Amino acid sequence: MADPSSTPLGKMLLEEITPVVMVLCTPYVEESCLKNGLSLIQLLSPFCDFTNIDVPVRTASDQPYRLRKFKLRLFYSSDIRQPNLEVAKERLKKVITHVGEKNFLESSDPSQVNNLLSRPESEMLPSWFQFFNKELVRTLSFSDHEAFDHPVACLLVVSSKDDEPVNRFVDLFNTNKLPSLLNDGAMDPKIMKHYLLLHDNQDGPFNKYARLSYLVILTLVEAGEAQFQANLVSIHAIQDFLICSAWSRDSVDNIINKKEAKDLYSQLTIVFNSIFVCRATKLLADMRNAFGQNDCQIICFNSSQDGKIHHQDNPWAPFKSDALPTENLGCFLNLDDLNEIKDFMQELSSKHIIPYMEQKIRVLNQQVSATRKGFRNQIKNLWWRKGKEDTIDTPNGPVYTFNSIESQIRILGDYAFMLGDYELALSNYRLISTDYKLDKAWKRYAGVQEMMGLTYFLLDQSRKDAEYCMENAFNTYLKLGSAGRRNATRCGLWWAEMLKTRDQLKEAATVYFRICGEDTLHSAVMLEQASFCYLLSKPPMLHKYGFHLVLSGDHYKKCDQIKHAIRTYRSAIPVYKGTTWSLIKDHVHFHIGQWYALLGMYDVAVTHMLEVLASTHQSKTTQELFLRDFLQIVQKTGKTFEVLKLQLPVINISSLKVIFEDQRTNASAAAASVKESLWRSLEEDMIPSSTARSNWLELQSKIMPRKYKESNICVAGEALKVDIEFKNPLQIPISVSSVSLMCELSANPEEGKLPKSVSFFFWPSFVYVICIHAFTVFLLLGGSNILLLYATADIGVLHDDCRDINSCLILSEVDFSLEGGETTVVQLTVTPRIEGILKIVGVKWKLSSAVVGLCNFEFNPVNKKVVRGRRKQHSPCSDLKFLVIKSLPRLEGFIHSLPEKTYAGDLRPLVLELSNQSKFPVKNLKMKISNPRFLYAGNQKELNADFPACLKKKMNVEKSGRHANVNKTLQNLYHFPEDISVQEETSLSWPLWFHAAVPGNIPLYITIYYEMEGVSSIMKYRTLRMHYNLQVLPSLDVSFQLSTRPSRSQEFLLRMDVVNKTSSECFQVHQLSSVGQQWEISLLQPVDSILPSQSLFAGQSFSCFFMLKDRRRSSTSEDSIPSLSHIQSDVRLGPQDNSEAFFDVSSSPLADFHDCERSSQGMSSQVVNFLALTFFICITINQNLAHAFAFIFFLYQGCEYKVDFVFITQLPKGNSDSSSNTPLVFSHHACDCSPSSMSPISWLVDGPRTIQHNFSAPLCEVNLKMTITNSSDAIASVHINTFDSPSSNNKPIDDATTSQPPEHQSGWSEIPIVNDTKIITTEALTTRVPKSLSLESVPQFIWSGTSSTKLVLQPRSTAEIPLQICVFTPGIYDLSNYVLNWNLTPVNDGENQGEANKSSGVCQGYPYYLSVLESNFKD
């Protein structure tokens, strides 16, 4: 460690623990000193600090040492007393207040923590800390238990103007006028005295006589001879006075008689000064005769004649605040006066006070050595003090007078300390410490321990002992309670400085914290000093630094030191900036804002309050408090604040969505929300090659300015929509109003089409005239309700340079409120009405009609470099620059009667309406639909057709073959007739057909292309995009099973299973039609016996069998090639006596939708035609004949036995789901039903479909029969396994056997919902994958017959197997929980190669539904 005396603590000790000189003076002395704006002590104090005095000192030892630094402390006798506590506190408060005012005016924005740490320590610490600590220490001056504040000497000062100065010296040191501490015995009144006679050269008594004489004589001389002679008596009197005053008569006569008064005053002054010297010499001699030869001195000062001396290095600068309000301190003191005063004080210190203290130390040391040192004296002292530990413990302990041995030892130690003999001081402190402890004089004991710690520090010895002594003293003071609290504060200050000197900053901060007591203001300063200790520690403890600053600020605020509180809180801001300590950040900013508001600085207050508005982590009550106080402060300002990036509400820039229309237009907001890639893929074949993308870009680059090449294109008169997400981060509701876009509209620099007068910026400072029309739409996104607000407004902007500004831009404005945590998507619009360059800059809004929030959208730089091989990141803000071109035609489209929710199979007509509100016609219309299975374009003649009559077969009309739509091309692109156009300000209606092909949530995307002629050189065409979302519910589950008859290859057995999957609808079955001229279909049994009501109720199912005949084989030779033309074969499923016409499945729209179903479910007719054409091409180019026959076989096998079916039902008139009384038509399509790839083993389960049984009687047994057919030429081995539950055979069954709806009685099953028409063939059954489903512990029915049956079937043979089940409860049961395993053994190895690939197989049972009803009568 460096020299302890050069450390801050060492300097403080050398200033505060120094000899005290008591000053006694007369009023004339003070009067002379005050001419310089200083008191006597202030005049002398700058010359009491000797930094290089170099005086030899010898105390108790024989070895002298040199004293390099020395200082005297001067006090008036009236000040030698313990300071009044309240006065001391008030003085300290004034000191802190003054510092707060000064620092607050000089304060700047707080530096970052890194910048703060880079500064030197001297710049980081506030300079007023040391001054405050000194003032706080001085409040404990002149304690009765300490001797370093006892006066060492007394300086008596008398003015030369005083009468009888010697007597005045005696009167000054009157016992009655001495301080009470000297009279009460606490201090020794027998101290060294030094006498000083002070002469003021300005107004001494002799100078008065000289001026008076001068004025009299000058008046007489100027009056003339007559007056001079008349007053000659007075003149002679002056002559006598002058002669008596040692002037010669010749000199006096010469001055008066010659009337030479020019230099009269100066001559008189010299005379009288000479007289004073003679008199002063006589007074000084009298003083020395009375008080001693060496203890008396004289000083002459105030030698300046005009009092205008200015001292550049003014030694009284530290006293300027306490001095009189004089512009220049020491104005009458010249350099000689200063040197005289300086020499006097140095002589007083080196020749009087220091020798006196040396002599005092030697005398006291001899006394102490004689009475207390040595083994004998120690034993005597211990014996004398024995038993004192039993005395009552009092706060102050026993009273010690100045002449007691204990006080003498303490004086000896303090004198040695002040003269720098720290070893002698420490030995005496140790000696007296034990005595005070035994006497239980705890305050004196703590004081001695405190001085021991300081002595250890200055000796730079034993840090441990020094800290132990300071800790012991500190704790002892605290034990005394309020009597020792202030002493503990002083001890803590010295202790903390000691630790800081030794770089123990964390320990020093702890000491500062322990100093904090009942005095809130003092605690505030100590906490602030502790914070800087944490900042300067290695490594810096920033969290504790900021925390203690905040604590200090709170204490300052309690003492009404608001400026100090603001300063400390602002210093803590950088600590918490960029951290996750949100609560304390909010606390700091909120209170700073409140305190600035108390000072009337509302602008700064608002800035800090803005930081806490979006405090999501705070409680609801706290958030209400923050917002309320913020609005109150804003209201007090009396103006509207514009805040950039206002955090309330929060704007999600990443969710920014710009909706604009160039050549692409949208019919609705739903269409605009679809991904652009989907629209591009849909429109790829619609855009003509003449308007290819490359040409478009080339044209766009020529039209647009170079700096706007990345800008988008919009059309004048068409709104640009910007969706912005606003979120309320708080738990309390907020009100947001006047939300609008900020835009810039300027002329095209290269075209200059915008008039100069309207090239301006639209900023929030303009005045808007608003007319708002708003409507709301609710969207359901991701399970959370988000409110989407659409608004349109006509806004006029008043501008001095543009009167017709309404013709340039139309901006929308929206008002809304947000509940706690609510998110709102606001759609704002801007509509340019003239050509130019439009830039959307940002958005503005008003919070609670008090604060205007501004949010600028950041633009990506145009020339930003992109790393090669990486795609450029796209920002939502990059779509905010637009080139506005002139107005173009725009079609608006809507589809009437399109249902939002319907059932699968629904078939209905729709109407597409296209409206053109422009002044130009459009032509060459084309339309493309994303999913033609659901929507199809009709013919214009179908627009007013009667539905559903238009779908039925026409009587007495010759069939001209299958319907063909000549306007339909590949890839679902529909060309409107060439003569169709949409004229200006008219609309066009076009028929559409809708078919709900499959259940589910179905999106429909429709694009309409149209061209414009002679309107714009930039855009030749535009597209209209339409988007609809449909919800298609399951209706009927239709499945088909096709089996061949071994004896008749041209006949097939068709089984159709239908299940109503709806919960409330009842369908009327109408017809089943096969598509193709080679098939004839007929019922095997009347429908009345299967479905008596011809209606299929909710949850009900039925199975129907048909005979399917191949008419082609019976009407044509086997060598003929099948015709590809189609006719229908229909069977009525309703009442057989009904004469109503069949629905025509070979005409539009049923035929068109059926082609779509074929494309989706299997091979379309176009593919078959293509294969046939390829075959003929192969024959033409003479390909290998074997290849040709193989191709023919492929066609024969793949197409000959594939059958398509159309099942048509209706909903009755007036159904609840229908919009009118027109019955709804439902068509279900099954394609590519083929037995050609069937399994060689087929079977049929036959038995009752509906039975009734009284379940209170014995078991209900149902007999069934299974007929198994082997259609192969091999021997078949068949194994049939039945099981009652999935667990019995590890093969689960379908859903229908187990699920039980609560609305039915036990045993009734809910029919499972499937998503499409189901086709069941024998092969399909072999590959069917069952679903896992949990069953009840007790099955609803069991197979009561043989659970496992094996049999062998000869080639081309049939066998019957009896089956039986036992049912326990009513319900609908699916008897498909069995498995059929088969294995073929060829009769000859060279034959039956067709079955060689299918030698074995496993088939799951197909559905067989049995309805068991409860019977009310007994069997």
Side-chain angles (χ1 to χ4, degrees):
M1 187 179 69
D3 183 12
S5 61
S6 62
T7 61
L9 177 59
K11 294 178 180 179
M12 182 186 296
L13 294 177
L14 292 179
E15 291 178 3
E16 302 302 324
I17 304 181
T18 56
V20 173
V21 176
M22 183 174 64
V23 178
L24 299 173
C25 64
T26 62
Y28 281 122
V29 173
E30 289 293 337
E31 180 182 349
S32 298
C33 293
L34 290 177
K35 293 178 182 180
N36 298 283
L38 300 167
S39 64
L40 175 62
I41 289 182
Q42 290 174 350
L43 180 69
L44 300 178
S45 292
F47 308 101
C48 295
D49 190 0
F50 309 99
T51 56
N52 192 14
I53 192 171
D54 196 16
V55 176
V57 176
R58 186 176 65 87
T59 55
S61 64
D62 297 332
Q63 205 56 250
Y65 60 92
R66 311 295 295 188
L67 186 64
R68 304 292 182 182
K69 297 179 182 180
F70 190 72
K71 182 182 179 181
L72 295 177
R73 290 183 292 157
L74 305 181
F75 291 94
Y76 290 116
S77 60
S78 59
D79 294 334
I80 298 180
R81 54 184 175 82
Q82 295 182 1
N84 182 272
L85 181 60
E86 296 300 326
V87 175
K89 287 183 177 181
E90 190 63 27
R91 175 174 174 79
L92 288 174
K93 184 177 180 180
K94 289 181 179 180
V95 170
I96 295 175
T97 303
H98 174 72
V99 172
E101 295 285 348
K102 180 180 178 182
N103 292 346
F104 188 78
L105 295 175
E106 299 175 355
S107 63
S108 58
D109 292 336
S111 303
Q112 298 295 329
V113 176
N114 295 333
N115 298 336
L116 186 63
L117 292 174
S118 62
R119 297 179 181 177
E121 181 178 346
S122 59
E123 296 183 8
M124 294 171 59
L125 289 173
S127 59
W128 62 275
F129 280 170
Q130 292 295 334
F131 179 72
F132 172 82
N133 292 342
K134 290 179 182 178
E135 291 295 329
L136 188 60
V137 168
R138 289 169 184 171
T139 59
L140 295 171
S141 301
F142 308 108
S143 299
D144 55 354
H145 69 288
E146 296 169 333
F148 52 77
D149 284 334
H150 293 189
V152 174
C154 179
L155 178 64
L156 295 94
V157 185
V158 174
S159 174
S160 60
K161 293 186 295 183
D162 290 313
D163 297 333
E164 299 182 359
V166 175
N167 294 332
R168 291 293 294 158
F169 281 120
V170 175
D171 294 340
L172 284 177
F173 202 79
N174 190 344
T175 307
N176 297 329
K177 298 180 181 179
L178 293 178
S180 60
L181 292 174
L182 275 74
N183 294 327
D184 296 342
M187 299 180 182
D188 188 1
K190 297 179 180 180
I191 56 177
M192 184 199 82
K193 303 178 186 65
H194 196 81
Y195 304 91
L196 175 64
L197 180 64
L198 196 65
H199 171 63
D200 186 356
N201 290 328
Q202 291 294 317
D203 53 359
F206 301 106
N207 285 7
K208 287 183 181 180
Y209 299 146
R211 282 199 298 272
L212 179 62
S213 302
Y214 164 73
L215 291 175
V216 171
I217 296 174
L218 183 61
T219 302
L220 296 176
V221 170
E222 292 178 352
E225 184 68 23
Q227 292 294 333
F228 185 80
Q229 294 296 330
N231 295 281
L232 192 60
V233 178
S234 299
I235 294 174
H236 288 308
I238 295 174
Q239 287 178 340
D240 295 340
F241 175 77
L242 293 175
I243 292 171
C244 295
S245 300
W247 276 48
S248 65
R249 181 170 296 278
D250 294 337
S251 299
V252 174
D253 293 339
N254 186 41
I255 293 173
I256 297 177
N257 295 332
K258 293 182 178 181
K259 306 173 187 179
E260 295 176 354
K262 183 176 181 180
D263 297 327
L264 181 60
Y265 178 73
S266 59
Q267 294 179 13
L268 291 175
T269 301
I270 295 173
V271 171
F272 285 115
N273 283 339
S274 300
I275 296 173
F276 166 74
V277 171
C278 297
R279 186 173 181 232
T281 303
K282 182 182 178 187
L283 289 175
L284 183 60
D286 294 341
M287 290 170 55
R288 288 177 175 174
N289 292 330
F291 306 116
Q293 186 69 25
N294 298 324
D295 295 334
C296 300
Q297 283 183 273
I298 185 171
I299 293 178
C300 298
F301 74 125
N302 289 346
S303 301
S304 174
Q305 297 296 330
D306 54 4
K308 296 182 180 180
I309 295 179
H310 178 74
H311 302 277
Q312 292 183 353
D313 297 332
N314 196 325
W316 300 283
F319 307 97
K320 191 171 183 178
S321 59
D322 297 331
L324 293 178
T326 305
E327 293 182 0
N328 189 11
L329 300 179
C331 56
F332 285 95
L333 300 175
N334 57 20
L335 185 60
D336 294 336
D337 295 340
L338 295 180
N339 290 333
E340 188 174 359
I341 296 173
K342 182 179 179 180
D343 294 341
F344 166 73
M345 294 305 300
Q346 186 166 1
E347 182 179 352
L348 176 65
S349 299
S350 59
K351 295 184 178 181
H352 298 278
I353 294 179
I354 293 178
Y356 171 77
M357 294 180 66
E358 290 179 300
Q359 181 65 28
K360 185 79 171 180
I361 289 174
R362 287 193 291 269
V363 171
L364 291 176
N365 186 55
Q366 291 178 359
Q367 295 178 1
V368 170
S369 299
T371 58
R372 295 298 307 278
K373 293 184 179 180
F375 180 76
R376 179 181 178 183
N377 291 331
Q378 292 179 5
I379 295 299
K380 181 179 178 181
N381 180 63
L382 291 176
W383 180 263
W384 179 75
R385 297 182 185 276
K386 184 178 180 181
K388 284 195 175 184
E389 60 271 10
D390 298 332
T391 59
I392 300 175
D393 192 2
T394 60
N396 296 324
V399 177
Y400 300 93
T401 60
F402 71 90
N403 54 5
S404 64
I405 187 60
E406 292 85 1
S407 297
Q408 296 296 318
I409 298 174
R410 176 61 196 258
I411 293 174
L412 174 60
D414 289 346
Y415 274 36
F417 187 93
M418 289 187 286
L419 289 182
D421 192 351
Y422 301 118
E423 294 288 352
L424 178 61
L426 182 61
S427 63
N428 284 277
Y429 289 147
R430 287 173 178 171
L431 183 63
I432 196 61
S433 175
T434 305
D435 294 347
Y436 285 147
K437 186 176 182 180
L438 293 175
D439 293 345
K440 296 185 179 181
W442 298 118
K443 192 171 185 178
R444 296 176 181 270
Y445 170 75
V448 173
Q449 289 289 318
E450 184 179 2
M451 293 304 298
M452 288 175 62
L454 296 177
T455 307
Y456 277 121
F457 170 77
L458 292 175
L459 288 172
D460 197 13
Q461 296 178 358
S462 185
R463 295 185 178 183
K464 184 177 180 181
D465 290 342
E467 293 179 12
Y468 170 78
C469 291
M470 299 304 291
E471 172 101 25
N472 193 13
F474 185 81
N475 293 332
T476 305
Y477 278 134
L478 290 180
K479 290 179 181 178
L480 297 176
S482 59
R485 185 70 206 182
R486 289 192 299 158
N487 295 91
T489 301
R490 184 191 65 182
C491 178
L493 288 175
W494 285 343
W495 185 14
E497 290 294 335
M498 183 187 302
L499 295 173
K500 287 163 62 177
T501 303
R502 295 169 177 172
D503 294 331
Q504 296 176 273
L505 295 170
K506 291 187 289 186
E507 292 78 2
T510 305
V511 173
Y512 279 126
F513 190 82
R514 293 174 64 182
I515 293 175
C516 300
E518 299 177 356
D519 194 309
T520 308
L521 185 58
H522 297 173
S523 299
V525 181
M526 297 307 156
L527 288 170
E528 188 175 1
Q529 295 189 66
S531 68
F532 281 95
C533 291
Y534 287 118
L535 178 64
L536 295 172
S537 61
K538 304 297 181 182
M541 304 176 70
L542 298 179
H543 192 182
K544 290 189 175 182
Y545 165 67
F547 178 72
H548 283 75
L549 280 177
V550 173
L551 286 179
S552 174
D554 289 339
H555 284 71
Y556 279 130
K557 178 58 178 64
K558 292 178 181 178
C559 302
D560 295 329
Q561 298 289 337
I562 298 179
K563 295 181 179 180
H564 274 293
I566 293 176
R567 179 181 56 80
T568 53
Y569 265 54
R570 292 182 69 221
S571 300
I573 291 177
V575 178
Y576 302 111
K577 187 176 182 180
T579 65
T580 57
W581 302 328
S582 302
L583 293 177
I584 195 168
K585 279 193 293 187
D586 293 345
H587 174 85
V588 169
H589 283 290
F590 175 70
H591 284 86
I592 291 178
Q594 281 189 323
W595 297 337
Y596 270 120
L598 292 176
L599 298 178
M601 304 174 65
Y602 298 111
D603 293 350
V604 187
V606 169
T607 302
H608 286 277
M609 294 297 289
L610 286 172
E611 298 292 333
V612 301
L613 282 186
S615 301
T616 57
H617 44 273
Q618 295 286 359
S619 64
K620 184 177 181 180
T621 305
T622 305
Q623 292 174 358
E624 290 176 347
L625 173 65
F626 286 174
L627 183 59
R628 183 179 66 250
D629 285 11
F630 170 73
L631 295 177
Q632 289 177 354
I633 293 174
V634 172
Q635 186 178 5
K636 291 178 181 178
T637 62
K639 60 181 180 179
T640 302
F641 279 88
E642 292 185 358
V643 180
L644 184 62
K645 295 183 180 180
L646 181 63
Q647 300 179 3
L648 196 65
V650 176
I651 297 180
N652 186 3
I653 300 296
S654 61
S655 67
L656 187 68
K657 183 177 181 181
V658 182
I659 304 172
F660 66 97
E661 298 179 346
D662 41 22
Q663 78 275 15
R664 305 157 294 184
T665 63
N666 301 299
S668 62
S673 63
V674 178
K675 293 183 179 180
E676 180 65 22
S677 59
L678 192 150
W679 289 119
R680 288 180 180 177
S681 63
L682 188 63
E683 298 170 354
E684 186 175 1
D685 299 322
M686 296 183 65
I687 302 175
S689 59
S690 60
T691 57
R693 186 175 302 172
S694 59
N695 294 337
W696 166 262
L697 292 177
E698 291 175 3
L699 181 60
Q700 181 178 355
S701 63
K702 294 178 182 179
I703 297 299
M704 297 185 64
R706 181 177 302 174
K707 63 183 292 187
Y708 293 100
K709 283 185 178 181
E710 290 192 357
S711 300
N712 303 296
I713 294 180
C714 65
V715 180
E718 297 182 6
L720 284 79
K721 302 175 183 178
V722 180
D723 288 348
I724 307 176
E725 181 180 299
F726 288 82
K727 181 180 180 181
N728 181 8
L730 306 181
Q731 305 176 38
I732 59 176
I734 60 175
S735 174
V736 183
S737 60
S738 303
V739 184
S740 63
L741 294 173
M742 297 187 297
C743 303
E744 297 177 7
L745 179 61
S746 58
N748 189 331
E750 298 186 4
E751 294 184 2
K753 292 184 179 181
L754 188 66
K756 184 177 180 181
S757 61
V758 291
S759 179
F760 54 87
F761 298 128
F762 288 88
W763 286 103
S765 58
F766 294 155
V767 180
Y768 291 87
V769 182
I770 309 166
C771 176
I772 302 176
H773 308 283
F775 60 95
T776 59
V777 178
F778 289 88
L779 297 180
L780 187 63
L781 299 178
S784 62
N785 290 324
I786 298 181
L787 179 62
L788 180 62
L789 298 179
Y790 293 92
T792 61
D794 296 330
I795 299 181
V797 186
L798 305 181
H799 196 274
D800 294 339
D801 299 333
C802 181
R803 296 181 180 178
D804 58 346
I805 207 69
N806 293 334
S807 62
C808 297
L809 278 181
I810 302 175
L811 296 172
S812 67
E813 191 166 301
V814 178
D815 299 338
F816 59 90
S817 61
L818 292 173
E819 296 297 328
E822 183 181 359
T823 299
T824 298
V825 177
V826 177
Q827 188 173 84
L828 304 174
T829 63
V830 53
T831 305
R833 289 190 171 182
I834 58 177
E835 299 175 67
I837 302 298
L838 175 65
K839 184 184 296 184
I840 301 178
V841 179
V843 64
K844 74 179 186 73
W845 67 95
K846 279 188 178 181
L847 176 63
S848 299
S849 302
V851 180
V852 176
L854 306 177
C855 180
N856 291 333
F857 302 143
E858 301 295 335
F859 289 91
N860 290 336
V862 176
N863 297 324
K864 185 176 180 179
K865 295 183 179 180
V866 182
V867 180
R868 187 175 181 181
R870 296 185 181 179
R871 298 185 63 184
K872 187 176 180 180
Q873 295 292 331
H874 179 75
S875 171
C877 298
S878 62
D879 296 331
L880 301 179
K881 299 178 184 178
F882 299 90
L883 174 64
V884 184
I885 63 175
K886 65 180 181 179
S887 180
L888 296 176
R890 181 182 182 277
L891 286 183
E892 296 179 0
F894 182 73
I895 299 178
H896 297 279
S897 303
L898 181 63
E900 295 182 359
K901 181 187 295 186
T902 186
Y903 288 103
D906 184 10
L907 179 66
R908 66 175 70 189
L910 306 174
V911 177
L912 169 65
E913 182 178 352
L914 300 176
S915 176
N916 180 13
Q917 301 297 329
S918 68
K919 302 294 183 180
F920 303 94
V922 297
K923 61 180 182 178
N924 297 337
L925 279 75
K926 292 182 285 186
M927 179 172 61
K928 193 171 183 180
I929 303 172
S930 62
N931 198 338
R933 295 180 69 186
F934 287 83
L935 202 61
Y936 204 85
N939 295 321
Q940 191 174 14
K941 63 181 181 180
E942 299 173 348
L943 184 61
N944 297 318
D946 184 18
F947 179 83
C950 62
L951 300 180
K952 297 183 179 180
K953 292 184 178 182
K954 307 300 186 294
M955 299 298 179
N956 301 323
V957 177
E958 183 180 357
K959 295 184 180 180
S960 58
R962 188 178 181 276
H963 165 78
N965 193 340
V966 295
N967 294 322
K968 179 179 180 299
T969 62
L970 291 177
Q971 299 180 354
N972 311 323
L973 181 60
Y974 178 78
H975 290 264
F976 286 81
E978 294 183 0
D979 58 341
I980 296 298
S981 65
V982 185
Q983 298 299 318
E984 59 274 13
E985 297 182 354
T986 60
S987 60
L988 171 67
S989 297
W990 199 262
L992 299 177
W993 287 100
F994 169 74
H995 179 242
V998 293
N1001 294 320
I1002 309 299
L1004 288 181
Y1005 307 99
I1006 307 163
T1007 298
I1008 299 175
Y1009 168 91
Y1010 57 94
E1011 295 180 358
M1012 306 158 291
E1013 185 176 358
V1015 180
S1016 173
S1017 60
I1018 299 178
M1019 289 188 188
K1020 298 294 186 181
Y1021 73 91
R1022 302 189 82 174
T1023 57
L1024 174 62
R1025 297 171 172 178
M1026 307 173 68
H1027 172 53
Y1028 296 92
N1029 285 311
L1030 309 178
Q1031 184 180 5
V1032 181
L1033 304 176
S1035 58
L1036 298 180
D1037 182 15
V1038 183
S1039 60
F1040 296 93
Q1041 178 182 353
L1042 192 61
S1043 303
T1044 59
R1045 297 188 63 180
S1047 59
R1048 299 178 183 179
S1049 60
Q1050 73 277 10
E1051 295 184 2
F1052 297 88
L1053 179 64
L1054 176 65
R1055 171 175 174 169
M1056 180 179 69
D1057 296 308
V1058 183
V1059 181
N1060 187 348
K1061 297 297 187 68
T1062 66
S1063 60
S1064 61
E1065 301 298 338
C1066 175
F1067 292 91
Q1068 292 181 352
V1069 296
H1070 189 274
Q1071 72 181 60
L1072 176 66
S1073 300
S1074 63
V1075 180
Q1077 67 174 6
Q1078 71 270 28
W1079 303 105
E1080 179 181 354
I1081 186 170
S1082 60
L1083 277 168
L1084 291 182
Q1085 56 183 343
V1087 180
D1088 297 343
S1089 62
I1090 304 174
L1091 200 64
S1093 62
Q1094 282 81 42
S1095 297
L1096 193 63
F1097 294 93
Q1100 190 176 2
S1101 64
F1102 81 98
S1103 299
C1104 191
F1105 293 87
F1106 303 88
M1107 179 63 68
L1108 194 64
K1109 295 183 179 181
D1110 186 356
R1111 294 178 55 190
R1112 182 195 58 185
R1113 288 185 174 241
S1114 61
S1115 60
T1116 62
S1117 62
E1118 294 183 2
D1119 297 332
S1120 63
I1121 298 176
S1123 174
L1124 296 177
S1125 61
H1126 291 66
I1127 64 172
Q1128 70 167 349
S1129 180
D1130 310 306
V1131 59
R1132 190 184 306 277
L1133 299 180
Q1136 298 301 318
D1137 55 352
N1138 190 353
S1139 59
E1140 185 178 357
F1142 287 100
F1143 287 94
D1144 190 355
V1145 298
S1146 62
S1147 299
S1148 178
L1150 285 172
D1152 294 329
F1153 283 123
H1154 188 76
D1155 280 346
C1156 296
E1157 292 300 318
R1158 284 182 61 83
S1159 300
S1160 176
Q1161 297 183 23
M1163 185 183 299
S1164 63
S1165 60
Q1166 286 83 358
V1167 176
V1168 176
N1169 294 337
F1170 173 75
L1171 294 176
L1173 179 61
T1174 306
F1175 164 68
F1176 288 112
I1177 293 175
C1178 293
I1179 297 296
T1180 303
I1181 62 177
N1182 295 323
Q1183 291 292 330
N1184 188 288
L1185 185 60
H1187 292 170
F1189 278 110
F1191 192 80
I1192 293 173
F1193 178 78
F1194 172 77
L1195 288 177
Y1196 182 80
Q1197 290 294 95
C1199 300
E1200 182 182 15
Y1201 292 106
K1202 289 187 176 180
V1203 190
D1204 296 349
F1205 298 101
V1206 179
F1207 178 59
I1208 298 177
T1209 60
Q1210 287 182 305
L1211 279 179
K1213 295 181 180 180
N1215 185 272
S1216 59
D1217 291 338
S1218 66
S1219 59
S1220 65
N1221 291 329
T1222 303
L1224 298 181
V1225 178
F1226 292 81
S1227 65
H1228 302 270
H1229 301 257
C1231 303
D1232 297 339
C1233 300
S1234 174
S1236 58
S1237 58
M1238 59 177 287
S1239 171
I1241 304 300
S1242 60
W1243 73 97
L1244 177 65
V1245 177
D1246 191 15
R1249 295 287 182 169
T1250 303
I1251 64 172
Q1252 294 183 350
H1253 181 73
N1254 185 5
F1255 283 92
S1256 61
L1259 299 176
C1260 175
E1261 295 181 348
V1262 181
N1263 295 318
L1264 305 171
K1265 178 177 67 174
M1266 178 183 290
T1267 302
I1268 304 177
T1269 301
N1270 179 11
S1271 58
S1272 68
D1273 294 329
I1275 300 174
S1277 175
V1278 181
H1279 184 194
I1280 303 168
N1281 289 326
T1282 61
F1283 46 91
D1284 300 326
S1285 65
S1287 59
S1288 63
N1289 202 16
N1290 294 328
K1291 292 188 178 293
I1293 63 175
D1294 202 348
D1295 306 348
T1297 59
T1298 58
S1299 60
Q1300 298 181 2
E1303 64 269 15
H1304 297 99
Q1305 56 181 336
S1306 178
W1308 289 89
S1309 304
E1310 180 184 359
I1311 304 301
I1313 297 176
V1314 296
N1315 294 330
D1316 208 343
T1317 303
K1318 182 167 60 178
I1319 304 165
I1320 301 179
T1321 63
T1322 308
E1323 182 181 12
L1325 290 172
T1326 62
T1327 59
R1328 177 177 166 193
V1329 180
K1331 301 178 181 178
S1332 299
L1333 202 64
S1334 62
L1335 294 174
E1336 295 182 357
S1337 59
V1338 179
Q1340 306 294 326
F1341 72 93
I1342 61 173
W1343 294 89
S1344 57
T1346 305
S1347 61
S1348 179
T1349 303
K1350 296 182 179 180
L1351 71 155
V1352 177
L1353 293 176
Q1354 296 299 322
R1356 305 285 180 178
S1357 63
T1358 301
E1360 293 183 356
I1361 300 175
L1363 300 173
Q1364 188 182 61
I1365 65 170
C1366 184
V1367 183
F1368 302 107
T1369 181
I1372 300 176
Y1373 300 98
D1374 182 5
L1375 307 182
S1376 61
N1377 51 345
Y1378 60 87
V1379 175
L1380 189 144
N1381 299 272
W1382 53 270
N1383 187 16
L1384 297 181
T1385 304
V1387 178
N1388 298 319
D1389 294 338
E1391 300 179 357
N1392 305 327
Q1393 294 300 322
E1395 289 83 0
N1397 295 330
K1398 295 184 178 180
S1399 60
S1400 63
V1402 179
C1403 300
Q1404 177 71 31
Y1406 59 83
Y1408 180 92
Y1409 294 102
L1410 172 64
S1411 298
V1412 181
L1413 305 178
E1414 175 72 29
S1415 176
N1416 294 327
F1417 59 88
K1418 296 183 179 180
D1419 296 337

